[in-house]
Amino acid sequence: MEEVTYQGLTFVPYIKRDAIAEQVQRLGAEISRDYEGKNALFLCVLTGSFVFAADLFRACDLQDAEITFVRLKSYEGMESTGEVQQVMGFSEDITGRNVLIVEDIIDSGLTAVKLRQELDKYNPKSVKMVSLLFKPEALEVGNPPEYVGFEIPRKFILGYGLDIDGLARNLSDIYVLKEE
Ligand code: IMP
Ligand code: MG
């Protein structure tokens, strides 16, 4: 594993694929215990979460689980724009369902708050969130996710679904911006 360069910036290895896989298995086991027989509806927040959601969904031993997708966008480059756009809505009937939001990373918390507000309009039975990564120091609104893979400092990272302007999502490890 080496340094990678995107948009003229250098990133160094931060969380290796084995460590990610270990947390995904742990989260899968916990979620399987908590959602047994509850007809869980996983709600994958595109685009960043698709890699994590695919691994997590298979790590869950739940015969009655379903998955659906919503697309939100708040980041441009390495900055949150402070506004959350809903680019693609969700269609499954979520009324009375036990919804588990699947996020790649919780930063300011804005995306999560906006999504929870939107979901509440349809009266789900329960709404919880699992996020692979969580930056506690960056949280401005809302609550921490109920399930967290890694708590990390306020640094810009990419790989394993996370991007910089659409790039680097296909890296199997997670990288952090190199400090000069
Ligand atoms: P929030 O609304 O500020 O919590 O930001 C959530 C979204 O911003 C995430 O779902 C990511 O798409 C993006 N994001 C936040 N931090 C990072 C990062 O370090 N790298 C890449 N994307 C990030
Ligand atoms: Mg995202």
Side-chain angles (χ1 to χ4, degrees):
M1 274 197 311
E2 288 157 18
E3 294 181 353
V4 291
T5 305
Y6 289 93
Q7 318 289 57
L9 300 164
T10 305
F11 293 82
V12 292
Y14 187 52
I15 307 175
K16 295 183 188 183
R17 65 196 76 186
D18 294 357
I20 298 171
E22 202 176 295
Q23 288 307 305
V24 169
Q25 290 307 316
R26 175 186 63 83
L27 290 168
E30 274 178 36
I31 289 164
S32 302
R33 251 195 328 269
D34 296 352
Y35 283 87
E36 173 87 61
K38 291 191 172 164
N39 190 206
L41 181 62
F42 287 56
L43 180 63
C44 171
V45 185
L46 296 172
T47 305
S49 306
F50 83 101
V51 178
F52 172 50
D55 285 344
L56 179 72
F57 198 51
R58 285 176 293 177
C60 290
D61 183 17
L62 291 167
Q63 232 200 330
D64 59 358
E66 295 171 58
I67 189 164
T68 188
F69 303 86
V70 63
R71 181 153 182 228
L72 303 175
K73 194 176 191 301
S74 67
Y75 253 62
E76 249 152 52
M78 294 199 296
E79 300 285 334
S80 176
T81 58
E83 268 173 51
V84 183
Q85 280 171 266
Q86 184 160 337
V87 186
M88 184 182 101
F90 46 90
S91 52
E92 269 72 9
D93 193 359
I94 63 155
T95 304
R97 296 296 299 269
N98 292 301
V99 177
L100 181 66
I101 301 170
V102 183
E103 266 287 18
D104 48 358
I105 187 161
I106 302 298
D107 190 58
S108 69
L110 263 171
T111 309
V113 163
K114 160 107 191 202
L115 183 56
R116 283 184 195 258
Q117 280 170 356
E118 198 59 33
L119 281 172
D120 283 346
K121 293 183 191 164
Y122 300 91
N123 286 310
K125 187 170 180 192
S126 70
V127 178
K128 286 190 186 180
M129 180 174 297
V130 53
S131 186
L132 179 65
L133 300 138
F134 174 44
K135 299 180 190 170
E137 294 158 8
L139 193 70
E140 287 168 25
V141 289
N143 301 314
E146 283 81 0
Y147 305 93
V148 173
F150 300 92
E151 286 196 0
I152 60 166
R154 198 172 195 164
K155 288 182 177 168
F156 187 77
I157 57 170
L158 47 72
Y160 196 72
L162 293 149
D163 73 308
I164 178 158
D165 287 332
L167 303 173
R169 296 195 196 276
N170 54 335
L171 299 174
S172 297
D173 304 296
I174 293 174
Y175 292 74
V176 68
L177 187 63
K178 187 178 182 178
E179 284 168 30
E180 302 297 339

